[in-house]
């Protein structure tokens, strides 16, 4: 049991709050409430303290056009949304793809539930790739999951459909990359 005093700032860092989130909370009066009063990063936590942290949403998804499309939702809770992305669907809007992306479908889904959206896709999939895409539903989940991706704590497996003769079974353990002289 650790009995060393810990500040709110150190506690929140340990819980995955990024420097960016902590900085955005600094000037918001009700972002940190300690025992019913405004708390500060340097406040020391004691056993039985009651800490309430409200993370401000500083981004907006208002510019994403809401488009009704079928979503294959594999899992959802208050922190993440996991979708099985179909082939031939871009993940993000881009030139020529303003309304037919996964982001558009997710924006419509959130709106239909009366929720606001900041689209935070944690992993990326190529347009032609089918697979699971993890979307963070709020800033803290986005920071924690992005750190896990960077630290290779989230693992992915790929399966490929091939043409021609192959071995009956086996594992291909090689990096996936763009073919030389390819633009796709």
């Amino acid at each position: 049991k650790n009995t060393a005093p810990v500040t709110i700032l150190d506690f929140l860092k340990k819980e995955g709050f990024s420097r960016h989130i902590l900085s955005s909370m600094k000037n918001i009066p009700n972002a940190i409430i300690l025992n019913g009063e405004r708390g500060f990063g340097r406040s020391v936590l004691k056993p039985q303290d009651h800490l309430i942290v409200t993370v401000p949403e500083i981004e907006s998804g208002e510019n994403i056009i809401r488009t009704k499309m079928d979503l294959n939702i594999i899992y959802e809770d208050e922190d993440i949304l996991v979708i099985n992305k179909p082939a031939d669907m871009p993940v993000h809007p881009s030139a020529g793809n303003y309304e037919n992306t996964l982001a558009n479908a997710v924006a419509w889904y959130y709106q239909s539930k009366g929720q606001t959206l900041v689209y935070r896709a944690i992993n990326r999939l190529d347009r032609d790739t089918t697979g699971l895409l993890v979307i963070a539903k709020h800033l803290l989940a986005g920071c924690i999951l992005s750190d896990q991706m960077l630290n290779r704590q989230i693992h992915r497996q790929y399966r490929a459909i091939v043409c021609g003769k192959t071995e009956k079974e086996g594992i291909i353990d090689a990096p996936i990359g763009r073919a030389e002289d390819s633009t796709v």
Side-chain angles (χ1 to χ4, degrees), residues 28 30 44 58 74 91 95 107 131 136 144 182:
I28 299 174
N30 294 323
V44 176
I58 54 178
I74 302 301
V91 173
I144 291 170
S182 172

Side-chain angles (χ1 to χ4, degrees), residues 51-87:
L51 179 65
I52 299 173
V53 178
T54 303
V55 179
E57 196 58 77
I58 54 178
E59 297 177 38
S60 171
E62 293 175 4
N63 293 331
I64 298 176
I65 298 168
R66 281 116 181 99
T67 306
K68 184 176 181 178
M69 289 185 259
D70 290 333
L71 286 175
N72 184 357
I73 297 172
I74 302 301
Y75 177 81
E76 181 176 15
D77 64 20
E78 64 275 1
D79 301 313
I80 64 171
L81 178 67
V82 180
I83 296 173
N84 188 13
K85 184 191 91 59

Side-chain angles (χ1 to χ4, degrees), residues 60-69 98-99 103-112 115-118:
S60 171
E62 293 175 4
N63 293 331
I64 298 176
I65 298 168
R66 281 116 181 99
T67 306
K68 184 176 181 178
M69 289 185 259
Y98 296 110
E99 298 180 27
N104 302 115
V106 171
W108 182 88
Y109 173 73
Y110 274 62
Q111 184 180 39
S112 73
Q115 299 174 350
T116 57
L117 162 78
V118 174

Side-chain angles (χ1 to χ4, degrees), residues 32 48 68 83 94 111 119 125 137 166:
I32 299 173
Q48 308 305 315
K68 184 176 181 178
I83 296 173
S94 62
Q111 184 180 39
Y119 186 72
L125 293 172
K137 294 176 86 172
T166 63

Side-chain angles (χ1 to χ4, degrees), residues 17 27 37 57 60 72 75 128 134 140 143 154 165 174 184:
F17 285 67
N27 297 320
E37 297 181 15
E57 196 58 77
S60 171
N72 184 357
Y75 177 81
D128 295 330
V134 179
L140 180 58
C143 288
I154 296 175
K165 186 173 177 147
V184 286

